[in-house]
Amino acid sequence: MIKSTLSIFLIFFALLCNAQKNAGTKTSMFNDKSIVRGEDGMVYTTEIWKKLLRTGKYSIKSRNTTAENGEPEWLIYELTDKEHQILMDKMPKPRASDSFVEGSKFNGFKTSDMNGNRYDLKNAAGKVIVLNFWFINCPPCKAEIPELNNLVDNYKSNSDIIFLAIALDDKYELQDFLKQTPYNYNIVNSGRYIAERFGVKSYPTHVVVDKTGTIKFSTLGLAPNTIAWIKKSIDESLNPN
Protein backbone atom coordinates (compact mmCIF):
# COMPACT_ATOMS: atom_id res chain seq x y z
CA MET A 1 0.00 0.00 0.00
CA ILE A 2 2.68 2.54 0.97
CA LYS A 3 4.85 1.62 -2.04
CA SER A 4 1.94 2.27 -4.36
CA THR A 5 1.13 5.55 -2.66
CA LEU A 6 4.70 6.78 -2.95
CA SER A 7 4.90 5.82 -6.60
CA ILE A 8 1.81 7.89 -7.37
CA PHE A 9 3.22 10.76 -5.34
CA LEU A 10 6.55 10.67 -7.15
CA ILE A 11 4.87 10.67 -10.53
CA PHE A 12 2.85 13.69 -9.45
CA PHE A 13 5.95 15.59 -8.46
CA ALA A 14 7.77 14.59 -11.63
CA LEU A 15 4.96 16.08 -13.67
CA LEU A 16 4.78 19.11 -11.41
CA CYS A 17 8.46 19.84 -11.74
CA ASN A 18 8.47 19.33 -15.53
CA ALA A 19 12.01 17.96 -15.50
CA GLN A 20 13.89 21.05 -16.61
CA LYS A 21 17.17 21.13 -18.56
CA ASN A 22 20.27 21.99 -16.57
CA ALA A 23 23.19 23.97 -18.11
CA GLY A 24 24.23 21.89 -21.07
CA THR A 25 22.86 18.57 -19.83
CA LYS A 26 20.05 16.43 -21.15
CA THR A 27 16.62 16.48 -19.58
CA SER A 28 16.36 13.94 -16.76
CA MET A 29 13.16 12.77 -15.13
CA PHE A 30 12.96 12.86 -11.36
CA ASN A 31 13.01 9.38 -9.80
CA ASP A 32 14.09 7.37 -6.72
CA LYS A 33 17.77 7.62 -7.71
CA SER A 34 17.81 11.35 -8.32
CA ILE A 35 20.19 13.49 -6.25
CA VAL A 36 18.14 15.59 -3.85
CA ARG A 37 19.60 18.35 -1.69
CA GLY A 38 17.99 20.29 1.11
CA GLU A 39 18.00 24.06 1.37
CA ASP A 40 21.14 23.67 3.49
CA GLY A 41 22.94 22.09 0.50
CA MET A 42 23.21 18.64 2.07
CA VAL A 43 22.32 15.57 0.03
CA TYR A 44 19.24 13.85 1.43
CA THR A 45 18.84 10.09 1.34
CA THR A 46 15.87 8.69 -0.53
CA GLU A 47 14.35 7.61 2.79
CA ILE A 48 14.56 11.13 4.22
CA TRP A 49 13.16 13.07 1.26
CA LYS A 50 10.36 10.55 0.78
CA LYS A 51 9.46 10.95 4.45
CA LEU A 52 9.34 14.73 4.03
CA LEU A 53 7.20 14.48 0.91
CA ARG A 54 4.72 12.23 2.69
CA THR A 55 3.90 15.08 5.06
CA GLY A 56 2.60 17.13 2.13
CA LYS A 57 4.56 20.11 3.43
CA TYR A 58 7.47 19.83 1.02
CA SER A 59 7.95 19.86 -2.73
CA ILE A 60 10.79 19.25 -5.17
CA LYS A 61 12.09 21.40 -8.03
CA SER A 62 15.17 21.67 -10.21
CA ARG A 63 18.18 23.04 -8.34
CA ASN A 64 19.79 24.15 -11.61
CA THR A 65 23.03 22.41 -10.63
CA THR A 66 24.60 19.15 -11.73
CA ALA A 67 26.38 16.39 -9.87
CA GLU A 68 29.86 15.07 -10.79
CA ASN A 69 28.27 12.49 -13.09
CA GLY A 70 26.49 15.24 -14.99
CA GLU A 71 23.04 14.38 -13.69
CA PRO A 72 20.76 17.26 -12.66
CA GLU A 73 20.32 17.87 -8.92
CA TRP A 74 17.00 18.59 -7.29
CA LEU A 75 16.01 20.78 -4.34
CA ILE A 76 13.52 19.74 -1.67
CA TYR A 77 12.02 22.77 0.02
CA GLU A 78 9.35 23.56 2.57
CA LEU A 79 6.13 24.98 1.20
CA THR A 80 4.53 28.13 2.52
CA ASP A 81 1.04 27.71 3.99
CA LYS A 82 -0.44 29.08 0.77
CA GLU A 83 1.68 26.79 -1.44
CA HIS A 84 0.77 23.81 0.74
CA GLN A 85 -2.94 24.53 0.39
CA ILE A 86 -2.62 24.93 -3.39
CA LEU A 87 -0.81 21.60 -3.58
CA MET A 88 -3.45 19.85 -1.47
CA ASP A 89 -6.23 21.32 -3.61
CA LYS A 90 -4.60 20.02 -6.80
CA MET A 91 -4.38 16.46 -5.55
CA PRO A 92 -7.27 14.03 -6.03
CA LYS A 93 -9.37 13.22 -3.00
CA PRO A 94 -7.99 10.17 -1.13
CA ARG A 95 -9.66 6.87 -1.91
CA ALA A 96 -12.81 6.31 0.16
CA SER A 97 -13.30 3.26 2.36
CA ASP A 98 -16.02 0.84 1.26
CA SER A 99 -16.69 0.14 4.93
CA PHE A 100 -17.83 3.70 5.68
CA VAL A 101 -19.91 5.24 2.91
CA GLU A 102 -19.83 9.03 2.96
CA GLY A 103 -23.27 10.54 3.52
CA SER A 104 -24.63 7.48 5.31
CA LYS A 105 -25.49 7.25 9.00
CA PHE A 106 -22.75 5.99 11.27
CA ASN A 107 -23.64 2.81 13.16
CA GLY A 108 -21.89 3.60 16.42
CA PHE A 109 -20.54 1.30 19.11
CA LYS A 110 -19.53 1.30 22.76
CA THR A 111 -15.92 0.78 23.78
CA SER A 112 -13.20 1.67 26.30
CA ASP A 113 -9.68 2.91 25.66
CA MET A 114 -6.42 1.67 27.21
CA ASN A 115 -6.86 4.03 30.15
CA GLY A 116 -10.32 2.78 30.99
CA ASN A 117 -12.20 5.76 29.54
CA ARG A 118 -15.57 4.72 28.13
CA TYR A 119 -17.10 5.90 24.85
CA ASP A 120 -20.67 5.53 23.64
CA LEU A 121 -20.53 6.34 19.94
CA LYS A 122 -24.14 5.23 19.53
CA ASN A 123 -25.20 8.29 21.48
CA ALA A 124 -22.66 10.93 20.53
CA ALA A 125 -24.91 13.57 18.96
CA GLY A 126 -23.23 16.95 18.94
CA LYS A 127 -19.75 15.41 18.81
CA VAL A 128 -17.42 15.04 15.84
CA ILE A 129 -15.96 11.52 15.83
CA VAL A 130 -12.54 10.91 14.28
CA LEU A 131 -11.53 7.25 13.97
CA ASN A 132 -8.33 5.57 12.87
CA PHE A 133 -8.13 1.79 12.38
CA TRP A 134 -4.47 0.70 12.55
CA PHE A 135 -1.91 -1.76 13.91
CA ILE A 136 1.69 -1.54 15.05
CA ASN A 137 3.37 -3.44 12.19
CA CYS A 138 1.66 -1.35 9.51
CA PRO A 139 4.30 0.95 7.92
CA PRO A 140 1.92 3.67 6.66
CA CYS A 141 0.09 3.59 10.00
CA LYS A 142 3.32 4.41 11.81
CA ALA A 143 4.43 6.94 9.20
CA GLU A 144 1.38 9.15 9.72
CA ILE A 145 1.43 9.22 13.54
CA PRO A 146 3.46 12.47 13.87
CA GLU A 147 1.00 14.29 11.60
CA LEU A 148 -1.97 12.80 13.45
CA ASN A 149 -0.44 14.02 16.72
CA ASN A 150 -0.23 17.52 15.24
CA LEU A 151 -3.86 17.22 14.24
CA VAL A 152 -4.89 16.38 17.81
CA ASP A 153 -2.83 19.29 19.11
CA ASN A 154 -4.67 21.66 16.76
CA TYR A 155 -7.97 20.81 18.45
CA LYS A 156 -6.84 20.15 22.02
CA SER A 157 -9.03 22.95 23.38
CA ASN A 158 -12.16 21.72 21.59
CA SER A 159 -14.22 19.27 23.63
CA ASP A 160 -16.61 18.57 20.74
CA ILE A 161 -14.18 16.16 19.04
CA ILE A 162 -13.53 12.53 19.94
CA PHE A 163 -10.28 11.09 18.57
CA LEU A 164 -10.22 7.29 18.76
CA ALA A 165 -7.55 4.97 17.35
CA ILE A 166 -8.83 1.41 17.05
CA ALA A 167 -5.71 -0.78 17.29
CA LEU A 168 -5.63 -4.49 16.45
CA ASP A 169 -2.79 -5.05 18.94
CA ASP A 170 -3.15 -6.03 22.58
CA LYS A 171 -2.55 -3.64 25.47
CA TYR A 172 0.95 -4.84 26.36
CA GLU A 173 2.23 -4.56 22.80
CA LEU A 174 0.82 -1.08 22.55
CA GLN A 175 2.35 0.01 25.85
CA ASP A 176 5.81 -1.00 24.62
CA PHE A 177 5.25 0.68 21.24
CA LEU A 178 4.01 3.93 22.75
CA LYS A 179 7.14 4.28 24.88
CA GLN A 180 9.08 4.90 21.67
CA THR A 181 6.32 6.35 19.50
CA PRO A 182 3.82 8.54 21.35
CA TYR A 183 0.37 8.63 19.77
CA ASN A 184 -2.06 11.27 21.00
CA TYR A 185 -5.34 9.68 19.92
CA ASN A 186 -7.31 7.86 22.61
CA ILE A 187 -6.27 4.28 21.84
CA VAL A 188 -8.56 1.27 21.96
CA ASN A 189 -6.56 -1.95 22.29
CA SER A 190 -7.54 -5.38 20.90
CA GLY A 191 -9.99 -3.73 18.52
CA ARG A 192 -9.99 -6.37 15.81
CA TYR A 193 -13.60 -7.25 16.62
CA ILE A 194 -14.60 -3.64 15.91
CA ALA A 195 -12.70 -3.62 12.62
CA GLU A 196 -14.32 -6.91 11.61
CA ARG A 197 -17.76 -5.61 12.50
CA PHE A 198 -17.36 -2.81 9.98
CA GLY A 199 -15.51 -4.93 7.43
CA VAL A 200 -12.27 -2.98 7.66
CA LYS A 201 -9.57 -4.86 5.76
CA SER A 202 -7.12 -2.14 4.69
CA TYR A 203 -4.98 -0.06 7.04
CA PRO A 204 -4.90 2.66 8.00
CA THR A 205 -8.58 3.47 7.60
CA HIS A 206 -9.79 6.89 8.71
CA VAL A 207 -13.35 8.06 9.35
CA VAL A 208 -14.80 11.45 10.27
CA VAL A 209 -18.41 11.52 11.55
CA ASP A 210 -20.14 14.88 11.84
CA LYS A 211 -22.30 16.14 14.71
CA THR A 212 -25.46 14.68 13.18
CA GLY A 213 -24.00 11.17 13.11
CA THR A 214 -23.41 11.23 9.34
CA ILE A 215 -20.18 9.94 7.82
CA LYS A 216 -18.49 13.05 6.49
CA PHE A 217 -15.29 11.48 5.18
CA SER A 218 -13.54 8.13 5.01
CA THR A 219 -10.35 6.89 3.42
CA LEU A 220 -8.02 3.91 3.41
CA GLY A 221 -4.27 3.78 2.99
CA LEU A 222 -1.96 6.79 3.22
CA ALA A 223 -2.02 9.53 0.60
CA PRO A 224 0.01 12.76 0.80
CA ASN A 225 -3.18 14.72 1.48
CA THR A 226 -4.87 12.28 3.88
CA ILE A 227 -4.29 14.45 6.95
CA ALA A 228 -5.36 17.58 5.09
CA TRP A 229 -8.68 15.93 4.20
CA ILE A 230 -9.23 14.74 7.77
CA LYS A 231 -8.69 18.31 9.00
CA LYS A 232 -10.91 19.75 6.29
CA SER A 233 -13.66 17.31 7.23
CA ILE A 234 -13.34 18.11 10.94
CA ASP A 235 -13.53 21.85 10.27
CA GLU A 236 -16.59 21.46 8.04
CA SER A 237 -18.26 19.24 10.65
CA LEU A 238 -17.62 21.78 13.39
CA ASN A 239 -18.88 24.66 11.25
CA PRO A 240 -21.38 23.20 8.77
CA ASN A 241 -22.51 26.63 7.57
Side-chain angles (χ1 to χ4, degrees):
M1 179 65 72
I2 193 168
K3 183 177 181 180
S4 174
T5 299
L6 287 172
S7 296
I8 294 172
F9 199 25
L10 292 174
I11 291 171
F12 172 82
F13 272 100
L15 293 173
L16 184 67
C17 297
N18 291 321
Q20 303 176 31
K21 285 188 177 181
N22 287 280
T25 64
K26 63 180 180 179
T27 299
S28 176
M29 292 299 292
F30 177 71
N31 57 55
D32 279 8
K33 297 181 180 180
S34 294
I35 299 172
V36 178
R37 293 183 183 273
E39 294 179 279
D40 55 3
M42 298 294 293
V43 175
Y44 283 24
T45 65
T46 303
E47 180 182 2
I48 289 177
W49 61 254
K50 279 187 175 181
K51 184 175 181 180
L52 291 175
L53 288 182
R54 280 200 298 269
T55 69
K57 295 181 179 180
Y58 290 80
S59 186
I60 284 177
K61 64 182 179 182
S62 171
R63 194 169 182 265
N64 294 318
T65 57
T66 56
E68 292 182 357
N69 62 4
E71 286 295 314
E73 296 181 325
W74 301 82
L75 174 70
I76 185 165
Y77 63 100
E78 188 170 7
L79 299 169
T80 63
D81 289 343
K82 183 177 180 179
E83 289 172 333
H84 175 257
Q85 189 58 53
I86 291 173
L87 177 60
M88 294 297 102
D89 291 342
K90 285 183 177 179
M91 290 183 180
K93 186 177 180 179
R95 178 183 172 187
S97 167
D98 293 335
S99 301
F100 300 94
V101 179
E102 295 174 15
S104 64
K105 283 296 181 180
F106 174 63
N107 186 14
F109 55 92
K110 295 181 180 180
T111 190
S112 299
D113 65 22
M114 290 176 58
N115 297 318
N117 300 308
R118 296 181 179 181
Y119 303 88
D120 182 0
L121 303 188
K122 291 184 177 182
N123 300 289
K127 299 286 186 179
V128 175
I129 303 168
V130 185
L131 303 177
N132 176 25
F133 292 83
W134 72 295
F135 61 96
I136 289 173
N137 290 322
C138 163
C141 297
K142 291 189 288 187
E144 68 181 359
I145 286 177
E147 290 301 306
L148 293 177
N149 286 343
N150 290 338
L151 188 69
V152 174
D153 287 342
N154 287 338
Y155 298 100
K156 60 185 177 182
S157 62
N158 195 320
S159 60
D160 287 339
I161 308 174
I162 300 172
F163 288 97
L164 275 185
I166 313 300
L168 306 188
D169 314 275
D170 66 35
K171 185 174 182 179
Y172 300 103
E173 292 173 317
L174 287 165
Q175 287 174 332
D176 287 341
F177 174 80
L178 294 171
K179 290 177 183 177
Q180 302 298 323
T181 309
Y183 187 9
N184 296 339
Y185 272 48
N186 301 297
I187 300 175
V188 176
N189 60 282
S190 305
R192 186 177 297 276
Y193 73 99
I194 300 176
E196 290 178 348
R197 171 183 169 183
F198 289 100
V200 176
K201 297 179 180 179
S202 297
Y203 300 86
T205 287
H206 294 278
V207 189
V208 178
V209 181
D210 69 18
K211 290 184 175 183
T212 69
T214 302
I215 296 173
K216 176 72 174 179
F217 171 73
S218 74
T219 187
L220 54 85
L222 174 59
N225 57 344
T226 293
I227 310 303
W229 267 92
I230 295 174
K231 185 178 187 305
K232 169 184 168 68
S233 302
I234 292 173
D235 290 340
E236 292 179 351
S237 297
L238 290 171
N239 303 290
N241 298 322

